[in-house]
PDB file of all heavy atoms in Angstrom:
ATOM      1  N   ILE A 378     196.140 244.924  85.980  1.00 95.00           N
ATOM      2  CA  ILE A 378     194.841 244.432  86.424  1.00 95.00           C
ATOM      3  C   ILE A 378     193.797 244.713  85.423  1.00 95.00           C
ATOM      4  O   ILE A 378     192.886 243.799  85.171  1.00 95.00           O
ATOM      5  CB  ILE A 378     194.469 245.105  87.891  1.00 95.00           C
ATOM      6  CG1 ILE A 378     195.554 244.625  88.864  1.00 95.00           C
ATOM      7  CG2 ILE A 378     193.074 244.593  88.254  1.00 95.00           C
ATOM      8  CD1 ILE A 378     195.682 243.171  89.061  1.00 95.00           C
ATOM      9  N   LYS A 379     193.872 245.853  84.814  1.00 95.00           N
ATOM     10  CA  LYS A 379     192.862 246.211  83.757  1.00 95.00           C
ATOM     11  C   LYS A 379     193.000 245.200  82.536  1.00 95.00           C
ATOM     12  O   LYS A 379     191.983 244.851  81.981  1.00 95.00           O
ATOM     13  CB  LYS A 379     193.135 247.660  83.319  1.00 95.00           C
ATOM     14  CG  LYS A 379     191.999 248.179  82.425  1.00 95.00           C
ATOM     15  CD  LYS A 379     192.161 249.721  82.182  1.00 95.00           C
ATOM     16  CE  LYS A 379     190.974 250.246  81.432  1.00 95.00           C
ATOM     17  NZ  LYS A 379     191.143 251.774  81.191  1.00 95.00           N
ATOM     18  N   ALA A 380     194.208 244.920  82.219  1.00 91.00           N
ATOM     19  CA  ALA A 380     194.431 243.981  81.102  1.00 91.00           C
ATOM     20  C   ALA A 380     193.815 242.587  81.338  1.00 91.00           C
ATOM     21  O   ALA A 380     193.338 241.924  80.473  1.00 91.00           O
ATOM     22  CB  ALA A 380     195.944 243.909  80.776  1.00 91.00           C
ATOM     23  N   ARG A 381     193.970 242.206  82.618  1.00 91.00           N
ATOM     24  CA  ARG A 381     193.523 240.905  83.029  1.00 91.00           C
ATOM     25  C   ARG A 381     191.982 240.805  83.182  1.00 91.00           C
ATOM     26  O   ARG A 381     191.279 239.851  82.807  1.00 91.00           O
ATOM     27  CB  ARG A 381     194.166 240.447  84.338  1.00 91.00           C
ATOM     28  CG  ARG A 381     195.617 240.163  84.254  1.00 91.00           C
ATOM     29  CD  ARG A 381     196.243 239.730  85.502  1.00 91.00           C
ATOM     30  NE  ARG A 381     197.676 239.444  85.420  1.00 91.00           N
ATOM     31  CZ  ARG A 381     198.531 239.189  86.449  1.00 91.00           C
ATOM     32  NH1 ARG A 381     197.997 239.162  87.685  1.00 91.00           N
ATOM     33  NH2 ARG A 381     199.745 238.937  86.257  1.00 91.00           N
ATOM     34  N   TYR A 382     191.398 241.819  83.750  1.00 93.00           N
ATOM     35  CA  TYR A 382     189.962 241.736  84.265  1.00 93.00           C
ATOM     36  C   TYR A 382     189.124 242.923  83.869  1.00 93.00           C
ATOM     37  O   TYR A 382     188.075 243.115  84.350  1.00 93.00           O
ATOM     38  CB  TYR A 382     189.945 241.637  85.797  1.00 93.00           C
ATOM     39  CG  TYR A 382     190.896 240.660  86.367  1.00 93.00           C
ATOM     40  CD1 TYR A 382     191.981 240.971  87.198  1.00 93.00           C
ATOM     41  CD2 TYR A 382     190.737 239.262  86.157  1.00 93.00           C
ATOM     42  CE1 TYR A 382     192.849 240.166  87.785  1.00 93.00           C
ATOM     43  CE2 TYR A 382     191.605 238.370  86.766  1.00 93.00           C
ATOM     44  CZ  TYR A 382     192.669 238.778  87.529  1.00 93.00           C
ATOM     45  OH  TYR A 382     193.483 237.888  88.030  1.00 93.00           O
ATOM     46  N   GLY A 383     189.609 243.721  82.866  1.00 92.00           N
ATOM     47  CA  GLY A 383     188.947 244.992  82.603  1.00 92.00           C
ATOM     48  C   GLY A 383     187.466 244.855  82.318  1.00 92.00           C
ATOM     49  O   GLY A 383     186.674 245.652  82.792  1.00 92.00           O
ATOM     50  N   ASN A 384     187.038 243.854  81.495  1.00 92.00           N
ATOM     51  CA  ASN A 384     185.625 243.769  81.195  1.00 92.00           C
ATOM     52  C   ASN A 384     184.841 243.379  82.381  1.00 92.00           C
ATOM     53  O   ASN A 384     183.682 243.728  82.576  1.00 92.00           O
ATOM     54  CB  ASN A 384     185.410 242.726  80.037  1.00 92.00           C
ATOM     55  CG  ASN A 384     185.812 241.381  80.418  1.00 92.00           C
ATOM     56  OD1 ASN A 384     186.916 241.115  80.891  1.00 92.00           O
ATOM     57  ND2 ASN A 384     184.951 240.353  80.136  1.00 92.00           N
ATOM     58  N   LEU A 385     185.426 242.617  83.318  1.00 94.00           N
ATOM     59  CA  LEU A 385     184.694 242.185  84.534  1.00 94.00           C
ATOM     60  C   LEU A 385     184.458 243.388  85.432  1.00 94.00           C
ATOM     61  O   LEU A 385     183.471 243.527  86.100  1.00 94.00           O
ATOM     62  CB  LEU A 385     185.486 241.063  85.253  1.00 94.00           C
ATOM     63  CG  LEU A 385     185.604 239.787  84.484  1.00 94.00           C
ATOM     64  CD1 LEU A 385     186.531 238.868  85.199  1.00 94.00           C
ATOM     65  CD2 LEU A 385     184.339 239.078  84.222  1.00 94.00           C
ATOM     66  N   PHE A 386     185.537 244.168  85.609  1.00 97.00           N
ATOM     67  CA  PHE A 386     185.425 245.361  86.447  1.00 97.00           C
ATOM     68  C   PHE A 386     184.409 246.328  85.827  1.00 97.00           C
ATOM     69  O   PHE A 386     183.621 246.904  86.586  1.00 97.00           O
ATOM     70  CB  PHE A 386     186.829 246.123  86.463  1.00 97.00           C
ATOM     71  CG  PHE A 386     187.716 245.518  87.503  1.00 97.00           C
ATOM     72  CD1 PHE A 386     187.939 244.137  87.618  1.00 97.00           C
ATOM     73  CD2 PHE A 386     188.430 246.283  88.319  1.00 97.00           C
ATOM     74  CE1 PHE A 386     188.782 243.575  88.636  1.00 97.00           C
ATOM     75  CE2 PHE A 386     189.371 245.817  89.281  1.00 97.00           C
ATOM     76  CZ  PHE A 386     189.493 244.395  89.401  1.00 97.00           C
ATOM     77  N   GLN A 387     184.420 246.440  84.491  1.00 96.00           N
ATOM     78  CA  GLN A 387     183.444 247.345  83.826  1.00 96.00           C
ATOM     79  C   GLN A 387     182.014 246.856  84.153  1.00 96.00           C
ATOM     80  O   GLN A 387     181.030 247.659  84.394  1.00 96.00           O
ATOM     81  CB  GLN A 387     183.639 247.404  82.359  1.00 96.00           C
ATOM     82  CG  GLN A 387     182.750 248.316  81.576  1.00 96.00           C
ATOM     83  CD  GLN A 387     183.065 248.226  80.056  1.00 96.00           C
ATOM     84  OE1 GLN A 387     183.186 247.141  79.576  1.00 96.00           O
ATOM     85  NE2 GLN A 387     183.041 249.344  79.456  1.00 96.00           N
ATOM     86  N   MET A 388     181.820 245.544  84.013  1.00 95.00           N
ATOM     87  CA  MET A 388     180.499 245.012  84.232  1.00 95.00           C
ATOM     88  C   MET A 388     179.996 245.149  85.736  1.00 95.00           C
ATOM     89  O   MET A 388     178.928 245.523  85.995  1.00 95.00           O
ATOM     90  CB  MET A 388     180.532 243.447  83.985  1.00 95.00           C
ATOM     91  CG  MET A 388     179.204 242.723  84.194  1.00 95.00           C
ATOM     92  SD  MET A 388     179.261 241.098  83.353  1.00 95.00           S
ATOM     93  CE  MET A 388     180.383 240.282  84.451  1.00 95.00           C
ATOM     94  N   TYR A 389     180.939 244.970  86.677  1.00 97.00           N
ATOM     95  CA  TYR A 389     180.640 245.219  88.056  1.00 97.00           C
ATOM     96  C   TYR A 389     180.145 246.630  88.331  1.00 97.00           C
ATOM     97  O   TYR A 389     179.224 246.925  89.019  1.00 97.00           O
ATOM     98  CB  TYR A 389     181.831 244.862  88.991  1.00 97.00           C
ATOM     99  CG  TYR A 389     181.534 244.937  90.414  1.00 97.00           C
ATOM    100  CD1 TYR A 389     180.961 244.007  91.135  1.00 97.00           C
ATOM    101  CD2 TYR A 389     181.804 246.217  91.077  1.00 97.00           C
ATOM    102  CE1 TYR A 389     180.639 244.078  92.475  1.00 97.00           C
ATOM    103  CE2 TYR A 389     181.514 246.331  92.461  1.00 97.00           C
ATOM    104  CZ  TYR A 389     180.990 245.346  93.096  1.00 97.00           C
ATOM    105  OH  TYR A 389     180.675 245.472  94.497  1.00 97.00           O
ATOM    106  N   GLU A 390     181.019 247.561  87.688  1.00 97.00           N
ATOM    107  CA  GLU A 390     180.695 249.033  87.953  1.00 97.00           C
ATOM    108  C   GLU A 390     179.389 249.376  87.297  1.00 97.00           C
ATOM    109  O   GLU A 390     178.551 250.149  87.939  1.00 97.00           O
ATOM    110  CB  GLU A 390     181.747 249.881  87.359  1.00 97.00           C
ATOM    111  CG  GLU A 390     181.530 251.379  87.666  1.00 97.00           C
ATOM    112  CD  GLU A 390     182.694 252.266  87.231  1.00 97.00           C
ATOM    113  OE1 GLU A 390     183.610 251.729  86.670  1.00 97.00           O
ATOM    114  OE2 GLU A 390     182.673 253.500  87.571  1.00 97.00           O
ATOM    115  N   LYS A 391     178.994 248.836  86.126  1.00 97.00           N
ATOM    116  CA  LYS A 391     177.646 249.136  85.521  1.00 97.00           C
ATOM    117  C   LYS A 391     176.476 248.616  86.373  1.00 97.00           C
ATOM    118  O   LYS A 391     175.454 249.268  86.385  1.00 97.00           O
ATOM    119  CB  LYS A 391     177.653 248.432  84.088  1.00 97.00           C
ATOM    120  CG  LYS A 391     178.346 249.262  83.046  1.00 97.00           C
ATOM    121  CD  LYS A 391     178.168 248.595  81.722  1.00 97.00           C
ATOM    122  CE  LYS A 391     178.711 249.388  80.608  1.00 97.00           C
ATOM    123  NZ  LYS A 391     178.504 248.907  79.231  1.00 97.00           N
ATOM    124  N   ILE A 392     176.717 247.441  87.009  1.00 95.00           N
ATOM    125  CA  ILE A 392     175.611 246.935  87.843  1.00 95.00           C
ATOM    126  C   ILE A 392     175.521 247.567  89.211  1.00 95.00           C
ATOM    127  O   ILE A 392     174.367 247.794  89.695  1.00 95.00           O
ATOM    128  CB  ILE A 392     175.822 245.400  87.999  1.00 95.00           C
ATOM    129  CG1 ILE A 392     175.611 244.712  86.642  1.00 95.00           C
ATOM    130  CG2 ILE A 392     174.886 244.755  89.032  1.00 95.00           C
ATOM    131  CD1 ILE A 392     176.083 243.243  86.586  1.00 95.00           C
ATOM    132  N   THR A 393     176.650 247.905  89.882  1.00 96.00           N
ATOM    133  CA  THR A 393     176.649 248.374  91.225  1.00 96.00           C
ATOM    134  C   THR A 393     176.888 249.831  91.389  1.00 96.00           C
ATOM    135  O   THR A 393     176.674 250.441  92.487  1.00 96.00           O
ATOM    136  CB  THR A 393     177.690 247.579  92.067  1.00 96.00           C
ATOM    137  OG1 THR A 393     178.932 247.966  91.651  1.00 96.00           O
ATOM    138  CG2 THR A 393     177.425 246.098  92.045  1.00 96.00           C
ATOM    139  N   ASP A 394     177.421 250.532  90.307  1.00 97.00           N
ATOM    140  CA  ASP A 394     177.774 251.967  90.430  1.00 97.00           C
ATOM    141  C   ASP A 394     178.920 252.149  91.477  1.00 97.00           C
ATOM    142  O   ASP A 394     179.056 253.129  92.061  1.00 97.00           O
ATOM    143  CB  ASP A 394     176.672 252.827  90.689  1.00 97.00           C
ATOM    144  CG  ASP A 394     176.935 254.292  90.489  1.00 97.00           C
ATOM    145  OD1 ASP A 394     177.773 254.584  89.498  1.00 97.00           O
ATOM    146  OD2 ASP A 394     176.373 255.203  91.131  1.00 97.00           O
ATOM    147  N   VAL A 395     179.785 251.120  91.567  1.00 97.00           N
ATOM    148  CA  VAL A 395     180.978 251.225  92.390  1.00 97.00           C
ATOM    149  C   VAL A 395     182.192 250.815  91.533  1.00 97.00           C
ATOM    150  O   VAL A 395     182.171 249.826  90.817  1.00 97.00           O
ATOM    151  CB  VAL A 395     180.921 250.221  93.553  1.00 97.00           C
ATOM    152  CG1 VAL A 395     182.262 250.159  94.366  1.00 97.00           C
ATOM    153  CG2 VAL A 395     179.760 250.559  94.522  1.00 97.00           C
TER     154      VAL A 395
END
Side-chain angles (χ1 to χ4, degrees):
I378 298 302
K379 190 172 185 178
R381 289 179 181 176
Y382 313 114
N384 65 308
L385 298 173
F386 278 44
Q387 182 185 42
M388 182 166 65
Y389 182 86
E390 185 173 6
K391 280 186 174 181
I392 292 170
T393 65
D394 198 28
V395 173

